[in-house]
Amino acid sequence: MAKNAAERGSFSAKDYHDPPPAPLIDAVEITKWSFYRALIAEFIATLLFLYVTVLTVIGYKSQTDHTGNKNNDACGGVGILGIAWAFGGMIFVLVYCTAGISGGHINPAVTFGLLLARKVSLVRAVMYMVAQCLGAICGVGLVKSFQKAHFQKYGGGANGLADGYTVGVGLAAEIVGTFVLVYTVFSATDPKRSARDSHVPVLAPLPIGFAVFIVHLATIPVTGTGINPARSLGSAVIFNHQNTWNNHWIFWVGPFIGAAIAAFYHQFILRAGAVKALGSFRSNPNV
């Protein structure tokens, strides 16, 4: 029978069983070294992410600034395309490096979406978000310590609503952009898909990195592209100018709404798991 199937060009899927939902409160995991190793991985990954990407933003602005050097080319530097590649490329690299340790979230919105889908416990989600925010602040702090003059002059890589756009447009851009990212995360890491399409290996960090790249191309002109509350917080805290905080709430509310919609869409609509998911919201899934 297997031979006949092979002759027909079909593939046998791996056996698949839905993993049980993560307990809402898991006190046991905080006693394990693997938990703290994951927190360290999230902290360092977010630090490196902000260090490289904010440097890229500031470098581009300094290379195209005519006020400091009349020889600068307005079309020089890496451009918006290069900035988008820096963000997407770093996510690809860092998710690849940390996925086996912490899951490679590097973004509170991703962590929040996975919490809603019961992929991580509440304790792990909260601690991940703290580690990510601290890593982002430290990463931007390194940029400032190395290039203080450029950092202050070119806005510290902070997110902000661009001139000509309303708060509603900025919020919508963050919601949709984060939806694209978190939906990609769910799809690329779906164990059922991996089992069903086992003959077509999917390198999950690649589509996730491309999602970040594409969203940046679309939304850099609108908000500078947040879609990551830790990224927005890190730059805002270190730059710390009043105009940076004016609409800062957009970069938290938008990504969290987008992540929630993506989690609902993937888990309840695509995976048709509404009844099962609602029944799993208890601390001990075995009860």
Side-chain angles (χ1 to χ4, degrees):
M1 184 177 294
K3 183 178 180 180
N4 292 337
E7 291 174 350
R8 291 194 301 269
S10 62
F11 296 86
S12 58
K14 295 178 182 178
D15 291 336
Y16 171 78
H17 300 284
D18 266 321
L24 194 59
I25 305 296
D26 188 359
V28 176
E29 67 180 349
I30 65 175
T31 65
K32 299 178 179 178
W33 162 243
S34 60
F35 175 73
Y36 297 98
R37 181 182 63 181
L39 293 180
I40 294 170
E42 286 292 309
F43 172 83
I44 295 298
T46 314
L47 182 154
L48 295 174
F49 176 60
L50 267 293
Y51 175 74
V52 171
T53 54
V54 170
L55 270 180
T56 303
V57 172
I58 292 174
Y60 165 66
K61 289 184 177 180
S62 67
Q63 290 172 321
T64 56
D65 180 19
H66 283 289
T67 60
N69 185 351
K70 293 184 178 180
N71 294 322
N72 281 350
D73 182 5
C75 297
V78 297
I80 289 180
L81 183 64
I83 293 173
W85 272 121
F87 278 88
M90 279 302 289
I91 286 296
F92 168 72
V93 170
L94 293 171
V95 171
Y96 181 85
C97 291
T98 60
I101 301 172
S102 66
H105 297 193
I106 320 172
N107 185 337
V110 171
T111 301
F112 181 66
L114 293 173
L115 170 65
L116 294 181
R118 299 301 303 277
K119 305 294 185 182
V120 295
S121 70
L122 178 61
V123 173
R124 183 175 291 265
V126 170
M127 293 304 293
Y128 269 25
M129 291 180 192
V130 171
Q132 291 155 359
C133 289
L134 291 177
I137 292 170
C138 292
V140 181
L142 283 179
V143 175
K144 183 177 180 179
S145 66
F146 294 152
Q147 297 192 15
K148 186 173 183 179
H150 281 171
F151 182 88
Q152 294 297 139
K153 183 176 182 180
Y154 299 113
N159 291 122
L161 194 61
D163 294 337
Y165 292 98
T166 65
V167 170
V169 171
L171 181 62
E174 290 297 306
I175 291 173
V176 175
T178 311
F179 173 85
V180 172
L181 169 59
V182 179
Y183 173 42
T184 304
V185 170
F186 275 107
S187 298
T189 59
D190 188 348
K192 187 173 184 179
R193 174 177 178 171
S194 299
R196 182 187 64 223
D197 299 330
S198 58
H199 58 286
V200 184
V202 177
L203 181 61
L206 185 59
I208 295 172
F210 263 106
V212 172
F213 165 69
I214 293 167
V215 170
H216 274 75
L217 286 180
T219 58
I220 282 176
V222 183
T223 62
T225 309
I227 69 171
N228 184 335
R231 177 261 185 274
S232 301
L233 179 68
S235 294
V237 167
I238 300 300
F239 187 56
N240 197 29
H241 281 210
Q242 181 59 44
N243 59 345
T244 304
W245 295 107
N246 286 340
N247 296 304
H248 183 72
W249 64 270
I250 291 175
F251 303 103
W252 285 86
V253 175
F256 274 41
I257 292 176
I261 296 173
F264 177 85
Y265 176 62
H266 185 270
Q267 294 296 104
F268 287 65
I269 307 301
L270 298 186
R271 293 296 303 276
V275 175
K276 179 170 59 178
L278 287 173
S280 70
F281 272 86
R282 51 177 178 264
S283 297
N284 185 356
N286 295 318
V287 175

